[in-house]
Amino acid sequence: VEFEIFEPRSEAEVQPPIVKRFAATCPVCGYTTPYARVREQIRAKRGGTRDARLIAVITLRPDGTRGFRLPTEADREAARRAAEELARRQAQHPGSLSLVPDEPAPEARGPGASRAFSIRKWGMETWGDLFTPRQALALSTFARLVREAYERMREARDTEYEVHRTESGTARSELHIPNAEFARAVITSLALAVSNMVHYLSSISIWAKDGMISAFVQGSGLPMRPDFAEANPLMPKLVGGFEYALEQVVQVLEREGGQGFRPGTIRQGSATALPLPDGSVPYVVTDPPYYDAVPYASLSDFCYVWLRRMLHDLHPDLLRPFLTPKAEECIMDPGPPPPGEPEKTKEFFENTMQQALAEARRVLRPDGLAVVLFAHKGTAGWEALLNALVQAGWTVTASWPIETERGARMRAKNSAVLASSVFLACRPRPEGAGVGEWRQVQAEMNRRVAQWLPRLAQEGIHGADAIFAALGPALEVFSRYDRVETAAGEVIPLGDVRNGRGQVLQRGFLSYVWEAVAREALRMLFREADPTGFEEDARLTAMWLWALRVRANGEPVLEELLWEDEEEEEASRSKPAGWSLPYDDARLMIQALGADEARLRRPGGILEVKGNTARLLSVAERRRYLLGEVREERPVRGRRSLQAQLPLFEAPPVQEEAPPAPQPGRTTLDRLHQAMLLFAAGRSEPLRAFLVDEGAGRDGRFWSLADALSRLYPSNSPEKRWVDGLIARRKSLGL
């Protein structure tokens, strides 16, 4: 395969991708090698890093912009020589630790945090398999130089030398002998700089369109990449180079050094057994693990294995383990655990979190304050944390969402990840706080949510940020009591109580909170209409789109699933349109709106549920049902003739018969979607007949819903264009 570089004048000049979620299409004959076969070929090469092909070189122009050129024979020769040199050094390496990390890479075990890893499925059995020979040679060389620097500093301890300084114009000499602790600090700083280069020098780093190289993209995980970018570690000042990495460390040292000498003590220990006496600290600040979102320990091994090769004997208390310890890690990651370790179930997470928060309460002074940060966007994670917080004896006294996340970070691209962290200010709940009466607690909670959501909207906080920010005021009411009971003496739990089949036996407090949030959000969305006048499909659509809104350069963007597994067989198919949520979150939303899930999932409905994911269907997907079209195109599978493959680069025209004008749908949302589809097809006369003659456009709810959805659809979506087009035609139709 030969490559060329060209600068297209428009997107239309760019051919479709030849690799789509690891299904590879030949650009000549058009035959597609399916994902499963591609994976087996890559597995046979242990991920393919040892013979990866260089396809382009990124250059820096004098004006600071970047260009691209094809690799030369000199480029390829440099890579070959690096591989030969690495092999020579590995054969001569005398150390107790291998030159290139041979520690086992993490496995993806199940539905928890470890699902972030897919590299094992592609034959990358060890951490060393993630690096090309040139990358491994560069990192191992830097590691060797760090060790050599330490040896030189040790030798200098026995040598007195002069440092010349000038004070008031007078030169004098000073004897300076570096001590062992100073040498260890310097070498530790150098080693940290090297370890921070790792994710710019790996086979899972990508070249982003805004000129960044990063390994951690769209979620805290290590996915397989069909192509990758390699930084030049010797490039001055640029990301990926040692100079840049060292400068990051220097900036921290300069900042901290400028604070003056303030005494402090740093202790390492488990959060469930704090090495502090009772009532000894005035403040506790914690950013606890985000449930099943981040496999912290396994991710840290990515850098740890290199850090250990530089510092294992300088910090034996920290770097003794083969890999980072994981048995006590507080995450939700069910599945077969390693021998001797507990299964990381939901119950494990809640119990461990409760122990940690109880320990924090023990060491806090009676008049002390605790701040708990949390930014997980799933309701299950919030319920687990809040339940642990209440059970550990805390009461929430204040809450506020604070923008802690960098909008330009890779995880924020086209994602509904929270832009804010919710800060919960907590005090120890007094002993004997008493029993709250459910009717009063519910009334006050409803009042607080009704006050809070409009205030959040004024501050520019919407969607998922607003939903979870409203938990604070609601929990302030619930957590001030030891327990909350109904008049009949029934205890109200924080979360729903379920049986073994997942059916709700008793509603918990948080389900009433979601209900209050949904009610108030709908009131804000339908500014001039009573939201109760709309059918359940319209209310759910508005809430769904509102919940997925995040701030990105002032424009709302919608959800891409946090954990997309590119290893599924369906990976070679096009991703369905519409917008997805975890099913548990969608279920709570449906329950809060008082909607019937079965009706929403009926043929022609707006909802689809597959496994643990619920999807709000796009308007285009409802076309057959709403416009009465029965034509269905069947995909052609397997090897096809050359003639059949020609449309790979040019889409053939599709001849469609114009369907008759639709009959008014059963719901306001159906009728609005019908009108949007007619507008999209340019069928002006049927659209006029539908809105005017049939009377669909004479219903005030039709235009109220159109106005609400216009504000909620993302600006680059076809739904936004269609609904805005309808609104623009309203006056000309006399409506």
Side-chain angles (χ1 to χ4, degrees):
V1 177
E2 295 183 358
F3 297 93
E4 69 176 52
I5 294 175
F6 77 106
E7 296 185 9
R9 288 168 294 183
S10 68
E11 189 176 346
E13 294 183 359
V14 182
Q15 73 177 48
I18 61 173
V19 178
K20 192 170 184 179
R21 304 194 69 166
F22 286 97
T25 300
C26 175
V28 180
C29 72
Y31 176 73
T32 297
T33 303
Y35 148 80
R37 179 60 186 147
V38 171
R39 185 175 71 173
E40 288 309 308
Q41 293 184 47
I42 296 179
R43 280 179 60 87
K45 297 183 176 186
R46 295 184 64 177
T49 55
R50 288 166 178 78
D51 61 352
R53 178 174 175 182
L54 182 62
I55 62 173
V57 177
I58 303 167
T59 61
L60 188 64
R61 300 186 178 116
D63 62 358
T65 62
R66 289 168 172 80
F68 300 86
R69 67 169 173 81
L70 293 175
T72 65
E73 181 56 34
D75 296 320
R76 289 186 282 267
E77 175 63 18
R80 285 194 293 267
R81 290 178 60 189
E84 293 170 358
E85 177 64 15
L86 178 68
R88 185 187 68 81
R89 292 190 186 182
Q90 285 181 305
Q92 299 176 357
H93 181 64
S96 58
L97 295 174
S98 61
L99 183 69
V100 179
D102 57 359
E103 294 88 337
E107 296 185 68
R109 294 196 311 272
S114 68
R115 66 190 182 279
F117 301 108
S118 61
I119 50 180
R120 276 286 190 102
K121 298 179 181 179
W122 297 86
M124 295 180 171
E125 300 290 332
T126 71
W127 282 109
D129 291 332
L130 270 68
F131 304 95
T132 67
R134 179 158 62 180
Q135 292 167 345
L137 178 65
L139 289 169
S140 61
T141 299
F142 278 111
R144 174 176 58 82
L145 293 173
V146 168
R147 298 296 305 179
E148 289 182 3
Y150 179 65
E151 294 303 323
R152 291 191 182 186
M153 293 191 73
R154 288 184 60 186
E155 294 172 1
R157 289 178 54 198
D158 302 324
T159 304
E160 297 183 356
Y161 59 94
E162 295 183 344
V163 178
H164 295 277
R165 296 180 180 177
T166 300
E167 295 181 356
S168 303
T170 302
R172 68 184 181 88
S173 298
E174 175 184 327
L175 295 178
H176 179 75
I177 304 176
N179 59 39
E181 287 301 312
F182 179 77
R184 190 168 74 154
V186 170
I187 299 308
T188 299
S189 299
L190 289 173
L192 287 171
V194 172
S195 71
N196 287 338
M197 297 167 58
V198 172
H199 63 109
Y200 303 118
L201 290 171
S202 75
S203 65
I204 57 174
S205 303
I206 72 163
W207 175 253
K209 63 181 180 181
D210 48 2
M212 292 176 59
I213 296 179
S214 178
F216 302 104
V217 181
Q218 291 187 343
S220 297
L222 298 178
M224 178 64 179
R225 309 284 188 197
D227 50 57
F228 59 92
E230 179 179 86
N232 181 350
L234 302 180
M235 178 67 73
K237 298 182 180 180
L238 292 184
V239 174
F242 177 72
E243 183 177 321
Y244 174 85
L246 187 60
E247 180 61 26
Q248 301 303 299
V249 176
V250 170
Q251 288 178 8
V252 172
L253 296 175
E254 289 177 341
R255 184 188 65 203
E256 296 304 311
Q259 301 299 314
F261 292 99
R262 300 177 182 178
T265 301
I266 298 174
R267 297 287 299 274
Q268 182 195 33
S270 172
T272 58
L274 296 175
L276 295 168
D278 295 355
S280 59
V281 299
Y283 302 104
V284 171
V285 181
T286 179
D287 187 359
Y290 292 170
Y291 195 53
D292 64 343
V294 184
Y296 303 91
S298 293
L299 283 175
S300 67
D301 285 337
F302 187 47
C303 298
Y304 176 86
V305 292
W306 289 103
L307 197 64
R308 187 167 180 256
R309 278 159 173 75
M310 295 177 277
L311 301 175
H312 65 94
D313 56 341
L314 297 183
H315 297 279
D317 54 330
L318 299 177
L319 301 172
R320 182 180 296 107
F322 187 60
L323 292 169
T324 56
K326 302 173 180 64
E328 298 181 41
E329 183 182 21
C330 184
I331 58 173
M332 203 289 280
D333 190 22
E341 295 188 8
E343 186 175 359
K344 303 297 181 68
T345 61
K346 178 178 183 291
E347 292 72 25
F348 172 86
F349 177 86
E350 283 194 18
N351 292 337
T352 307
M353 186 64 69
Q354 182 178 333
Q355 293 174 33
L357 293 171
E359 271 290 273
R361 187 181 186 279
R362 177 186 65 80
V363 303
L364 189 69
R365 293 193 323 215
D367 61 342
L369 175 69
V371 178
V372 180
L373 289 70
F374 206 62
H376 191 269
K377 70 186 181 76
T379 55
W382 271 103
E383 287 192 12
L385 172 72
L386 296 178
N387 194 55
L389 190 69
V390 173
Q391 295 300 320
W394 292 96
T395 181
V396 177
T397 58
S399 65
W400 191 257
I402 299 177
E403 289 190 349
T404 57
E405 308 303 324
R406 182 169 60 91
R409 73 197 192 283
M410 299 307 299
R411 175 64 190 96
K413 304 290 186 182
N414 299 322
S415 168
V417 65
L418 294 184
S420 304
S421 294
V422 177
F423 285 61
L424 300 174
C426 307
R427 301 276 187 182
R429 187 166 59 245
E431 297 293 338
V435 178
E437 201 280 313
W438 169 234
R439 187 183 298 272
Q440 295 178 357
V441 169
Q442 185 180 19
E444 186 175 354
M445 179 271 293
N446 288 332
R447 183 168 59 253
R448 296 293 300 277
V449 171
Q451 295 170 346
W452 197 245
L453 279 184
R455 182 180 179 183
L456 292 172
Q458 292 174 358
E459 298 287 344
I461 298 169
H462 306 283
D465 282 339
I467 290 176
F468 293 113
L471 283 174
L475 204 64
E476 291 175 36
V477 183
F478 185 84
S479 63
R480 68 174 62 138
Y481 304 103
D482 288 332
R483 64 184 184 279
V484 175
E485 296 181 355
T486 66
E490 182 181 31
V491 176
I492 301 297
L494 184 69
D496 291 343
V497 177
R498 301 174 180 278
N499 60 18
R501 297 188 299 275
Q503 298 170 323
V504 177
L505 302 178
Q506 181 186 7
R507 290 183 66 186
F509 175 72
L510 289 178
S511 71
Y512 292 96
V513 175
W514 308 132
E515 188 176 275
V517 169
R519 182 171 56 250
E520 296 305 321
L522 288 174
R523 287 178 182 172
M524 293 190 299
L525 293 174
F526 297 101
R527 297 170 179 171
E528 299 178 359
D530 180 4
T532 60
F534 292 96
E535 298 89 345
E536 59 188 12
D537 58 351
R539 288 183 282 129
L540 180 65
T541 297
M543 271 297 296
W544 197 290
L545 296 175
W546 181 78
L548 288 175
R549 288 182 63 190
V550 294
R551 296 176 301 281
N553 299 322
E555 293 290 340
V557 295
L558 292 181
E559 167 81 343
E560 285 209 12
L561 286 179
L562 178 60
W563 299 114
E564 287 187 317
D565 186 359
E566 72 273 9
E567 271 77 59
E568 295 299 328
E569 279 296 334
E570 288 146 9
S572 60
R573 304 179 188 174
S574 297
K575 180 181 177 181
W579 301 287
S580 301
L581 277 174
Y583 173 69
D584 285 345
D585 294 9
R587 177 188 55 78
L588 284 171
M589 190 182 300
I590 294 169
Q591 175 182 298
L593 293 171
D596 185 289
E597 182 180 330
R599 282 200 301 268
L600 296 167
R601 294 172 60 178
R602 73 183 190 278
I606 63 169
L607 186 64
E608 175 187 84
V609 176
K610 288 186 176 180
N612 295 321
T613 300
R615 189 170 64 91
L616 186 72
L617 300 182
S618 68
V619 175
E621 288 179 280
R622 306 189 68 210
R623 182 186 186 105
R624 290 180 58 210
Y625 166 73
L626 294 174
L627 298 188
E629 298 180 12
V630 296
R631 181 182 58 81
E632 181 176 3
E633 297 181 12
R634 297 183 180 275
V636 180
R637 297 183 177 274
R639 187 181 296 273
R640 290 169 281 181
S641 67
L642 178 59
Q643 183 177 5
Q645 292 291 341
L646 291 178
L648 176 69
F649 303 105
E650 182 177 354
V654 178
Q655 302 294 331
E656 296 186 7
E657 295 184 3
Q663 296 298 315
R666 287 186 288 184
T667 67
T668 307
L669 182 69
D670 282 351
R671 293 190 286 275
L672 178 60
H673 283 179
Q674 287 173 311
M676 290 165 63
L677 290 169
L678 289 175
F679 174 84
R683 300 178 59 213
S684 300
E685 284 306 313
L687 176 62
R688 184 186 184 284
F690 179 61
L691 293 177
V692 179
D693 300 339
E694 299 289 345
R698 301 188 184 280
D699 184 350
R701 295 179 305 169
F702 180 95
W703 299 107
S704 294
L705 180 59
D707 178 67
L709 296 187
S710 173
R711 298 194 304 271
L712 293 169
Y713 284 129
S715 59
N716 59 349
S717 67
E719 282 89 347
K720 170 69 173 175
R721 296 194 301 271
W722 300 343
V723 75
D724 285 353
L726 279 180
I727 294 173
R729 288 200 178 186
R730 180 180 182 182
K731 186 174 181 180
S732 65
L733 294 172
L735 299 171

